[in-house]
Each structure stands twice: as C-alpha cells, then as structure tokens.
Amino acid sequence: MAMSDSNWIHEFHDSGSAIGYEVLEVLHQERSPFQQIDIYRTRTFGTAMALDGCWMVTDRDNFIYHEMMSHPALLSHPAPRDVVIIGGGDCGTLREVARHEDVARIVQIELDERVTRLSEQFFPELCERNDDPRVELRFEDGIRWMEASGPGSADVIIVDCTDPVGPAAGLYDVPFFRTCRETLRPGGILIQQSESPLFHVELLAALRERLPEAGFDAVQHLQFPQPCYPSGWWSATMARRDGQFDVFRNNAANRLATRYFHPEMLAAARTLPRFLAG
Ligand code: SPD
C-alpha cells in the first residue's frame, strides 16, 4: 500500500494491477497485536479500512459483499436458528444476519478485537446490531473455537475472513472444513469468502475439491461485483452437508430490506462463466 504525492492510496496486486482511492484524510492508523489497521476518508468511497495494506471495507460498496455473504446461505436453509460467523470483525455481515428474525443466536468469532472496536467508531452503521440480544461477540482464534464447538450446534457457518495468507490460511483447508461439517446440523450450510474469480481460479478449483473431501455434498460458487477488492469481481462459495441446494425461501427473501440482493440476483450469482463451471 502506498501513498503518492497526489494523495492516492493503492493496494497493489501480484497481478500487476491495483485498486486505489483519493484520500482526503487519514482517520486512524495503528499496529494491533495481529495486523496493521489503516482507516481513511476517501473522496468518493467514504470511509475505507485496510488491514495489512488490503482494502477490507468501504462505505460505498460494502453492502454488496455483506449481503452476498449472508442472505444466500440463510435463505437456502429451511430454518436457520444458530449462526456462526468466523472473522467478520467490521460487523457488516453480522448486521445482515440479524435482519433474519428466525435466527435465534449469532456467535461471531473474530481474532482481532481492535478491528471491531475501530469499526464501532468509524463504521457505526455496520455495527448497529452488535447489541442485539441474539448476538455474542467473541475475540479469539476461529479455528480453535470451531474445534472446541459441539457437533451439531450450528445451522449456518459464515467465514468472512481476510485473504488466505497468515492466520487466515487454515480457514481454506480440509481440516477446518471437516470441523465445520461436524459443527453443522444435518442440512447445514457453510459459506466461505473465496476471492476473485479472475485472479484466484486455482483457489476456487481447490475449494471444489476440498469441500467434498471434507464431507460436504453440494458446492456452489457465487460471483458478484466488489469494486474495492482485487479485480473488482469477487466470489463466495457455499457448501451444504446432506443434500443439494434444493431450498430457497423466496418470500423471506422478498421481505428483506436489502440494497443489492434479491432472488433473481441469487440466480445471477450462481450463473458461472465457462471457465469456472468446471
Ligand atoms: N481482499 C480482501 C478480502 C477480504 C474479505 N473479507 C472482508 C471483510 C469484510 N467484512
């Protein structure tokens, strides 16, 4: 991440490209015990947060990612009561999950408490459901927490993590997926953020192998735009234990006050280009 003399800050990618914003003000910078956290006021994307130099969330476009990380999985389950979010420190995904009145309990396990505390300060609208009585915020290692969780204790697991490097790398491997499968009740659904369909084809192919290896029956990629992430095109991958994706609660979907997601958008997200259909 670098700031040039014209006040632009860029996240540079191995692909030889970058995503950058014109910055009006540096709002906050700190080194937490886990990572570098930078928060800026940008000219056209509002407040933006970067972790270790990678854009995580901006005011302008976070709704696309957070709605796609939550509603497709929750609406593809007939009756989700217990939801676990691994990561998700900015609380945008949690806010979307809390829109579902049939959900009884939401446990979020984020490694870095500073990400959540700073989000409460700089992204208050993302954190507006943190005090919901159904919500439990925990700050610890998500892989260890999942290993200690009881079998059959969740209906939906959402992995809203950083890129698959450092502490997040294990969140993309078979042992973690196996633990998730055991934690899910029959018919339960896992959704994992799965990077750019353009830049990370190998990761998506690996998920199509690793999730069945961990015991999941059905695997479905979802693709959607996400302007602040590398290539501007992003994905999430859903996996269901015990059966195919044969449920979609259309009426509940139409009742949600979303900005991006609606039932036809799910159909669009499930429609893959030829090179990913494999
Ligand atoms: N390249 C960035 C990928 C980060 C995905 N998770 C972001 C967290 C937003 N809630």
Side-chain angles (χ1 to χ4, degrees):
M1 187 156 265
M3 190 147 170
S4 67
D5 53 7
S6 61
N7 290 348
W8 280 72
I9 296 208
H10 290 91
E11 173 190 338
F12 292 100
H13 311 134
D14 292 345
S15 56
S17 57
I19 300 274
Y21 299 103
E22 188 179 348
V23 166
L24 301 180
E25 189 183 356
V26 178
L27 294 172
H28 186 84
Q29 295 189 302
E30 76 173 59
R31 178 92 212 156
S32 81
F34 301 99
Q35 56 206 335
Q36 175 66 32
I37 306 175
D38 299 301
I39 303 177
Y40 305 100
R41 185 162 65 88
T42 71
R43 190 168 70 79
T44 56
F45 273 65
T47 305
M49 176 163 63
L51 299 180
D52 281 341
C54 298
W55 298 116
M56 288 294 132
V57 64
T58 84
D59 276 344
R60 187 160 183 183
D61 64 357
N62 78 79
F63 66 100
I64 305 174
Y65 174 87
H66 290 138
E67 291 180 15
M68 292 305 291
M69 287 297 292
S70 49
H71 306 309
L74 287 162
L75 294 162
S76 299
H77 190 288
R81 301 268 308 156
D82 290 288
V83 178
V84 171
I85 302 170
I86 302 289
D90 57 53
C91 302
T93 297
L94 185 157
R95 178 181 72 167
E96 295 306 312
V97 174
R99 290 187 199 279
H100 292 253
E101 286 166 12
D102 46 353
V103 167
R105 186 163 179 250
I106 309 164
V107 184
Q108 176 165 286
I109 307 97
E110 159 65 46
L111 184 61
D112 191 346
E113 180 168 1
R114 289 302 296 151
V115 173
T116 299
R117 299 302 167 218
L118 290 169
S119 297
E120 287 167 348
Q121 188 179 345
F122 292 102
F123 296 93
E125 66 295 340
L126 297 185
C127 297
E128 64 192 15
R129 302 303 287 268
N130 289 12
D131 293 330
D132 187 310
R134 299 170 297 165
V135 170
E136 182 185 345
L137 296 179
R138 303 189 66 95
F139 299 102
E140 55 188 292
D141 183 285
I143 298 180
R144 286 207 206 114
W145 185 89
M146 194 60 83
E147 284 164 357
S149 67
S153 56
D155 299 303
V156 173
I157 298 171
I158 300 173
V159 187
D160 178 9
C161 59
T162 50
D163 303 308
V165 287
L171 297 170
Y172 294 78
D173 280 339
V174 175
F176 175 70
F177 293 149
R178 238 182 233 130
T179 311
C180 289
R181 187 190 176 279
E182 281 159 23
T183 302
L184 287 168
R185 299 193 178 102
I189 293 176
L190 166 71
I191 183 160
Q192 160 77 283
Q193 84 86 4
S194 50
E195 306 283 296
S196 164
L198 189 66
F199 290 169
H200 307 109
V201 186
E202 297 82 7
L203 177 73
L204 289 162
L207 292 179
R208 290 197 297 276
E209 284 181 9
R210 290 175 194 170
L211 288 160
E213 193 181 329
F216 285 93
D217 283 358
V219 178
Q220 170 73 65
H221 297 312
L222 304 175
Q223 52 88 22
F224 49 91
Q226 189 56 35
C228 72
Y229 291 168
S231 84
W233 186 24
W234 213 245
S235 75
T237 300
M238 288 203 294
R240 182 177 193 263
R241 51 166 292 174
D242 317 303
Q244 301 302 305
F245 287 106
D246 47 11
V247 170
F248 183 71
R249 292 181 295 123
N250 214 56
N251 291 343
N254 283 323
R255 283 197 300 272
L256 286 170
T258 49
R259 289 177 67 197
Y260 180 79
F261 180 80
H262 55 77
E264 292 77 19
M265 199 55 96
L266 178 60
R270 292 174 66 145
T271 306
L272 300 177
R274 283 207 171 108
F275 73 88
L276 274 186

